[in-house]
Amino acid sequence: MIRINPHYQKLQASYLFADIAQRVRAFQQRRPDAGLIRLGIGDVTEPLPPACVAALHAAVDELAQADTFRGYGPEQGYDFLREAIARHDFQARGAQIDADEVFVSDGAKCDVGNIQEIFATDIRVAIPDPVYPVYVDTNVMAGRTGAAVQGRYQGLVYLPCTAANGYVPQLPDQPVDLIYLCSPNNPTGATMTRAQLQAWVDWARAAKALILFDAAYEAFIRDDGLPHSIYEIPGAREVAIEMRSYSKTAGFTGLRCAYTVVPRDCMAWCDTGEPVALHGLWTRRHTTKFNGVSYPVQRAAEAVYSPEGRQQTRALTDGYLRNAQAIRAGFQALGLPCTGGDNSPYIWVDTGRDAWAFFDLLLDKAAVVCTPGAGFGRCGQRHVRISAFNSQANVEAAMQRIARALA
Ligand SMILES: *Cc1c(COP(=O)(O)O)cnc(C)c1O
C-alpha cells in the first residue's frame, strides 16, 4: 500500500486567493461596467526590457545553428552569468562574493523552498509574521512542525512584525537555528537597515545559526544608506545564504531566472560537532536535482547587466516606485498609517479595522482589489497589502476612487 507523506496533511489550505477571486467574481456580476482595478497583484505587469528580448532572440538563433548549438550547460549556471552576478550585484557594492559561490536557478521560490532539505529535520526554525508563505509550508512538508493550531504551526517560532517594531523582526528570545529574513519585505514593504541586519548577523554567529536572506525586491532600494545584500554586513559570509531573482527586477516572472549565493565560509554542523561547508552540500543537491536554466534565459539575465539593460530595468522599477509613492501618499492623506512603498513595490496599510471589511469597502465603493493581510499571518489582521505592479493610469484612477470612497 503506497502511503502519503503525512506532513502534507498538516498543511492548511490557503483560502485567501480563492476567497478574493470569489468576491471579485460576484462584484463583476453585480457591476460589470465598474472598471475594476486590481492592486492586489504580486506579479509584474510591464513587458521585458528590450535588451533582454534581443539577447533571447540572439541565443535562440545560436541554438538553431549546428556550429553554435549547445546542449546541457553547467547545472550551477554558465560562467558568463555567474561572473556578471558576482561583479555587478556584489563586488561593485564591496561584498566579497565569487562567481563559483553563485548558483543560477529557475526561481527564488524553488530555491527558498528547496534549501531547507540540506538541514536536519529537528532544527528550530523562526519565521516572521506576516510572511511569504513558501518559507512556512516547505518546512511543514519536511516534517519540521506539528499541527496547525489557530493558524499557527506548533514547533515554529513566530516573530511578530508590527507597527511597534517597524514591521522588522526582533531577535528571538528562545533558541533558534534557522531564520528567514526578507528585505525589502513581501508583504510589508519594510526594508531592514544596516544596523538591524548587523544585529541579526552577530546573533547568528553567536548562536551558530543560519540566515536565509530573500532579496527578491533588492532592485527597488533607492535609499543610499540601505544595504542591498546581506554580504555588505561584516561577518555575513559565515552565516547567511542569499536568494535573488530577475522576476521583479526585470519582469522575468514568466521567463524564470534567479540565483542563490552560498559562500564557501558558510557552515553547519554534523551530529559529531564537525563543521560542514554548505557550499558543498548545496552543490551536491543542485547538481543532483537540477539540470540548469535554459541558455537563452541565462543570456537574457546577463543582458540585465549591460549598459542598456541596467538603464531599462532601472526605468521599469522607477515606474513601479512612482506608483508606490502615489499609493502611499494617497492612503496617508486619508489618515491610514503605511509602511513600504519607498524602497519596495508593496505598501502595507494599517486599516484600523477588520481587513476583510476594508477589502469589501474598497471593492464595493471604489472597484479596487487589494490583498487582506491575514493571508500572510496572524499579525496581518487589520492590514492590507497594496501592490504597485500596475500601469500608472490604473494606479491614479484607483487612488482617486479610493479617496472619494473613504472621504
Ligand atoms: C516574487 C518573490 C520571489 C521570486 O520568486 P521567483 O520564483 O524567482 O519568481 C521570491 N521571494 C519573494 C518574497 C517574492 O515575493
Side-chain angles (χ1 to χ4, degrees), residues 42-43 105-112 131-135 182-187 214-217 243-248 252-254 256-259 346 385 389:
D43 191 358
S105 80
D106 60 359
K109 184 182 193 175
C110 328
D111 289 350
V112 87
V131 75
Y132 183 54
V134 178
Y135 312 154
C182 177
S183 176
N185 192 266
N186 178 11
D214 184 339
Y217 296 93
M243 281 90 179
R244 295 242 193 134
S245 172
Y246 299 96
S247 284
K248 316 315 186 323
F252 274 43
T253 52
R256 313 303 305 141
C257 196
Y259 65 84
Y346 296 125
R385 188 192 72 177
F389 290 128

Side-chain angles (χ1 to χ4, degrees), residues 106-330:
D106 60 359
K109 184 182 193 175
C110 328
D111 289 350
V112 87
N114 289 330
I115 192 84
Q116 49 74 31
E117 71 177 68
I118 64 174
F119 306 115
T121 317
D122 58 358
I123 57 165
R124 297 155 298 192
V125 179
I127 308 259
D129 176 357
V131 75
Y132 183 54
V134 178
Y135 312 154
V136 177
D137 289 359
T138 52
N139 278 291
V140 175
M141 291 169 172
R144 275 192 201 90
T145 74
V149 178
Q150 291 173 348
R152 282 188 166 182
Y153 292 98
Q154 294 187 312
L156 287 184
V157 175
Y158 289 87
L159 304 176
C161 298
T162 63
N165 55 29
Y167 299 96
V168 169
Q170 307 286 100
L171 299 179
D173 55 10
Q174 55 186 296
V176 165
D177 306 304
L178 180 67
I179 163 78
Y180 290 77
L181 296 177
C182 177
S183 176
N185 192 266
N186 178 11
T188 68
T191 305
M192 295 176 76
T193 64
R194 207 167 283 277
Q196 286 165 339
L197 264 185
Q198 184 75 63
W200 273 103
V201 167
D202 293 346
W203 165 85
R205 288 163 63 93
K208 290 189 169 178
L210 188 82
I211 299 168
L212 295 181
F213 189 70
D214 184 339
Y217 296 93
E218 171 276 335
F220 293 86
I221 296 175
R222 291 292 179 274
D223 197 331
D224 286 339
L226 293 171
H228 290 235
S229 165
I230 196 164
Y231 304 118
E232 292 176 45
I233 308 300
R237 278 184 55 89
E238 291 161 44
V239 291
I241 289 176
E242 180 166 317
M243 281 90 179
R244 295 242 193 134
S245 172
Y246 299 96
S247 284
K248 316 315 186 323
T249 305
F252 274 43
T253 52
L255 200 55
R256 313 303 305 141
C257 196
Y259 65 84
T260 288
V261 178
V262 186
R264 289 189 177 275
D265 306 353
C266 216
M267 297 291 159
W269 283 264
C270 53
D271 290 345
T272 57
E274 289 292 305
V276 177
L278 293 179
H279 186 276
L281 283 187
W282 188 244
T283 302
R284 190 64 208 261
R285 192 269 169 212
H286 193 77
T287 55
T288 299
K289 294 197 178 182
F290 189 64
N291 240 346
V293 173
S294 80
Y295 173 68
V297 170
Q298 291 191 62
R299 282 293 186 199
E302 181 193 28
V304 167
Y305 302 101
S306 67
E308 312 79 54
R310 287 158 68 107
Q311 184 251 319
Q312 290 160 5
T313 50
R314 177 77 180 202
L316 265 183
T317 47
D318 276 349
Y320 292 131
L321 283 168
R322 268 194 301 277
N323 291 345
Q325 283 297 324
I327 293 166
R328 187 186 163 109

